[in-house]
Amino acid sequence: MSMEEWSFEVQQKFEIPYKYSPGAFMSRFFVELRDRGRLLGARCPSCGRVYMPPRSICGRCHRRIEEWAEVGEEGTLLSFTVVHYKEPFHPREAPFALGLIKLDGADTGLLHLLGEVDPKKLKVGMRVRAVLREKRAGNILDIQHFRPVE
Amino acid sequence: MEKEGTELLEMPFTVSLPFRFATGPYMGRFLREIRDNKKFVATRCGVCGRTLLPPSIVCPFCHVKTEGWVELGTKGTLVAFDIVHIPAINPMTGKPRPIPYARGYIMLDGGNAIIGHFLEGADPSKIKVGARVEAVFKEEGRRGEIADILCFRIIEEGKD
């Protein structure tokens, strides 16, 4: 056996247990989503921008944000990408689409999965709606995906 | 804004990261011998005489190309050990290792290379520096990885 043939590949897997703490601010967002199915954005007291996902400090004014603003379950697709390759850690079987969605009443885009749609029919500017899970756990996948509005 | 009594969420989950490990030629030959023949091979430096494990192309001490391969024994002598009481997470399973467990550093027969691995048992009164140990290999399903060696077991001289 020549040196070139010594090399080979071993399939392995890391399993990394992890606990994510969203903190006081984002916990409120997730609790509201879990218990009442409402989507809360955060409004900057200085510039009035509504952040979705919410953030506790305005990225432009650097002011602390203390006001929640409910945003709609529907919104506009700002951008999207279609994933064609398969990896075991993907959230869906390929092909699947990810979209940046500006919900009604929000000024920023929320990145999430797009579902119930042929990826070929996606268009920037189309209207989409959040599909919430029946059983919610208090994380971002309580929104199953966004689907196009008929 | 956060009123008293706001529920603080915690989200436990396990990240699974599958990957392919490419051995490269020298590590490949080392792992191949473990997988196919339950043997240890190392490279040897012609200048300082060290046996190198894992085998390397160049001696890291003398910076010269190693002169070839040597077969080492699957038995050896314990040069150091740790008893571990912290249930460290095994990254391959995501579960804590049962404690206490022992790590051993073993100079394999036929060279001066030291290999680190688990020891069988973790009773400090039974593990001594200088003890003779032997490698315990997985009997079935060796894949060419360090986990193909289950542990090193202390043996009694004369009986092996």
Side-chain angles (χ1 to χ4, degrees):
Chain A
M1 186 181 280
S2 70
M3 183 172 149
E4 287 70 35
E5 292 167 311
W6 292 348
S7 185
F8 64 99
E9 286 184 346
V10 192
Q11 195 76 43
Q12 295 188 320
K13 188 163 76 172
F14 283 147
E15 297 279 359
I16 305 162
Y18 185 70
K19 204 189 286 178
Y20 173 68
S21 302
F25 189 82
M26 281 305 279
S27 284
R28 171 80 198 277
F29 168 78
F30 287 122
V31 165
E32 203 66 24
L33 173 61
R34 181 190 67 190
D35 296 348
R36 281 173 280 277
R38 293 169 68 203
L39 294 165
L40 292 186
R43 181 182 287 122
C44 171
S46 176
C47 68
R49 274 163 71 88
V50 174
Y51 285 96
M52 171 53 74
R55 50 186 295 176
S56 56
I57 304 284
C58 177
R60 291 191 173 176
C61 313
H62 305 156
R63 286 278 300 274
R64 181 165 295 283
I65 298 180
E66 302 197 337
E67 187 189 342
W68 294 100
E70 186 174 355
V71 301
E73 286 187 5
E74 288 189 12
T76 307
L77 192 58
L78 294 179
S79 180
F80 65 91
T81 187
V82 181
V83 180
H84 289 282
Y85 69 104
K86 259 185 210 178
E87 284 291 354
F89 47 78
H90 278 163
R92 295 282 189 280
E93 277 277 297
F96 67 94
L98 293 164
L100 195 62
I101 298 122
K102 193 167 110 173
L103 291 168
D104 296 341
D107 293 303
T108 60
L110 173 71
L111 185 66
H112 215 295
L113 292 157
L114 297 169
E116 300 175 51
V117 62
D118 177 355
K120 289 193 184 80
K121 298 203 170 127
L122 290 167
K123 288 251 181 315
V124 166
M126 76 194 290
R127 299 283 295 164
V128 293
R129 181 179 181 83
V131 178
L132 300 186
R133 283 180 202 278
E134 285 286 309
K135 232 180 137 184
R136 295 190 288 270
N139 63 55
I140 200 63
L141 291 175
D142 287 351
I143 304 172
Q144 200 170 319
H145 54 244
F146 284 81
R147 64 163 174 80
V149 179
E150 299 296 311
Chain B
M1 168 177 46
E2 266 55 57
K3 295 180 190 74
E4 258 184 74
T6 296
E7 184 187 352
L8 291 176
L9 293 180
E10 277 189 340
M11 301 173 191
F13 54 95
T14 300
V15 183
S16 285
L17 289 177
F19 63 98
R20 284 195 310 273
F21 165 65
T23 61
Y26 274 49
M27 196 64 182
R29 181 160 173 178
F30 171 69
L31 292 172
R32 207 175 263 279
E33 287 293 334
I34 292 175
R35 183 187 68 186
D36 299 343
N37 304 318
K38 296 199 270 186
K39 279 181 181 170
F40 295 122
V41 291
T43 50
R44 187 176 177 282
C45 173
V47 175
C48 67
R50 284 182 174 92
T51 36
L52 301 166
L53 265 188
S56 64
I57 300 173
V58 171
C59 174
F61 300 93
C62 310
H63 306 153
V64 295
K65 210 164 178 215
T66 48
E67 68 173 14
W69 293 82
V70 285
E71 187 185 329
L72 302 175
T74 55
K75 293 175 185 168
T77 305
L78 192 62
V79 294
F81 66 93
D82 306 310
I83 307 286
V84 183
H85 293 275
I86 296 165
I89 304 286
N90 177 352
M92 310 311 278
T93 63
K95 304 275 188 304
R97 296 188 196 281
I99 50 165
Y101 65 92
R103 290 281 305 176
Y105 302 89
I106 297 118
M107 189 179 287
L108 294 170
D109 294 348
N112 47 35
I114 290 170
I115 185 169
H117 214 293
F118 297 112
L119 294 176
E120 187 182 73
D123 181 350
S125 71
K126 292 192 178 139
I127 302 173
K128 293 275 179 275
V129 167
R132 295 284 295 157
V133 296
E134 70 175 353
V136 182
F137 293 91
K138 236 187 233 176
E139 281 305 321
E140 296 286 325
R142 287 190 303 277
R143 305 192 312 154
E145 55 190 357
I146 291 297
D148 289 348
I149 313 160
L150 295 173
C151 64
F152 280 79
R153 171 194 292 152
I154 294 177
I155 49 175
E156 286 179 45
E157 279 291 42
K159 286 192 181 174
D160 53 279

